[in-house]
Amino acid sequence: MKNIAIRENHLYNKTYKKGKSFVGKTLAVYVLKDYAASRLAKANPEKKQVNRLGLSVSKKLGGAVIRNRVKRIIRAAYDEHKSKLKTGFLIVIGARSAAVKKKSTDLARELDIAFRALDMYAEQAAEK
């Protein structure tokens, strides 16, 4: 299933201010419970709650080609973990300057560390 993007600026700000965060060498990950998830699930054809993903890549990292490449690699890394995550959250992933030179496997490894630190895996909740 395609990722649902966060489009509203206020949701980014709310996730930054009120959400849990993990900052690594290449990525900063912010997670906040999405209170509109149940309402959006009714509009979803599968009637399931989903995570909404927001990507933040600064102009300081480079031109449009570099920024789009970084966003594409982050999306590919996120797709590896998407099926194992808890649902109903706003997830904002910010790229740091070290992300420009990394491959999707490197970013996937760092996302795995971040999601474990933020207790986002569904099987982690089942074990507790």
Side-chain angles (χ1 to χ4, degrees):
M1 187 172 159
K2 190 174 177 182
N3 292 328
I4 297 175
I6 299 174
R7 290 192 177 93
E8 298 89 6
N9 187 37
H10 71 94
L11 292 176
Y12 279 93
N13 291 333
K14 189 184 290 187
T15 305
Y16 289 139
K17 289 177 185 171
K18 296 182 181 179
K20 296 188 292 184
S21 65
F22 173 86
V23 179
K25 292 180 182 177
T26 57
L27 298 172
V29 181
Y30 301 88
V31 174
L32 180 68
K33 183 74 176 157
D34 188 4
Y35 295 108
S38 58
R39 179 177 48 84
L40 293 171
K42 292 176 185 172
N44 185 354
E46 298 174 3
K47 303 296 183 210
K48 288 196 228 173
Q49 289 188 354
V50 293
N51 292 327
R52 292 197 279 171
L53 179 67
L55 299 177
S56 175
V57 181
S58 172
K59 286 187 177 182
K60 293 178 184 177
L61 296 185
V65 173
I66 292 172
R67 291 195 310 270
N68 285 328
R69 179 185 175 274
V70 170
K71 287 190 276 189
R72 193 172 60 245
I73 290 172
I74 291 173
R75 278 191 209 100
Y78 174 76
D79 286 342
E80 291 182 26
H81 301 287
K82 182 167 56 171
S83 63
K84 299 177 275 186
L85 296 176
K86 295 177 188 176
T87 57
F89 286 88
L90 297 170
I91 300 173
V92 176
I93 301 173
R96 302 184 75 197
S97 59
V100 173
K101 298 180 177 94
K102 298 294 182 182
K103 304 275 189 229
S104 65
T105 54
D106 301 328
L107 295 182
R109 195 174 311 117
E110 185 151 355
L111 274 179
D112 180 49
I113 293 167
F115 289 142
R116 287 190 192 284
L118 295 170
D119 194 34
M120 283 296 295
Y121 284 119
E123 72 265 8
Q124 282 179 331
E127 292 173 4
K128 290 183 178 180

